Amino acid sequence: QVQLVESGGGLVQAGGSLRLSCAASGSIVSINTMGWYRQAPGKQRVLVASSTTTGGTNYANSVKGRFTFSRDNAKNTFYLQMNSLKPEDTAVYYCYADASFYRAWGQGTQVTVSS
């Protein structure tokens, strides 16, 4: 099994930046894809960024050019750098990792962007 622990959310003004972290433990070698979703109040959870272990990364159109996925294999941690934040980025952000036959989720972290 893979366990994910998130950190880094908070309150920021529009135009500001935040970096989310997701630390993985457990059966890390079984992970093939990882990334981030977000869920705004009253809305469905949507994919923000996804990356494969071979390095390819995809972003939602709404965050392209502002958000950057990265990872530190030595720390078993991946990140979401969020720049030029907008009020519409306000949501609970969840990291995930796809292993052999299941998806692991982080606990979620609140990001609030004030106008």
Side-chain angles (χ1 to χ4, degrees), residues 44-78:
Q44 289 187 330
R45 193 174 297 190
V46 296
L47 184 64
V48 174
S50 65
S51 182
T52 65
T53 52
T54 56
T57 303
N58 293 299
Y59 298 95
N61 287 334
S62 59
V63 307
K64 280 181 181 177
R66 300 188 298 122
F67 290 12
T68 303
F69 176 96
S70 64
R71 63 185 182 199
D72 185 335
N73 291 332
K75 295 182 178 179
N76 296 326
T77 300
F78 56 95

Side-chain angles (χ1 to χ4, degrees), residues 11-63:
L11 173 64
V12 64
Q13 290 188 330
S17 298
L18 282 174
R19 188 178 79 159
L20 306 182
S21 300
C22 185
S25 61
S27 303
I28 297 170
V29 294
S30 66
I31 295 174
N32 49 68
T33 304
M34 67 206 82
W36 298 88
Y37 276 76
R38 69 185 181 187
Q39 187 166 19
K43 296 187 177 181
Q44 289 187 330
R45 193 174 297 190
V46 296
L47 184 64
V48 174
S50 65
S51 182
T52 65
T53 52
T54 56
T57 303
N58 293 299
Y59 298 95
N61 287 334
S62 59
V63 307

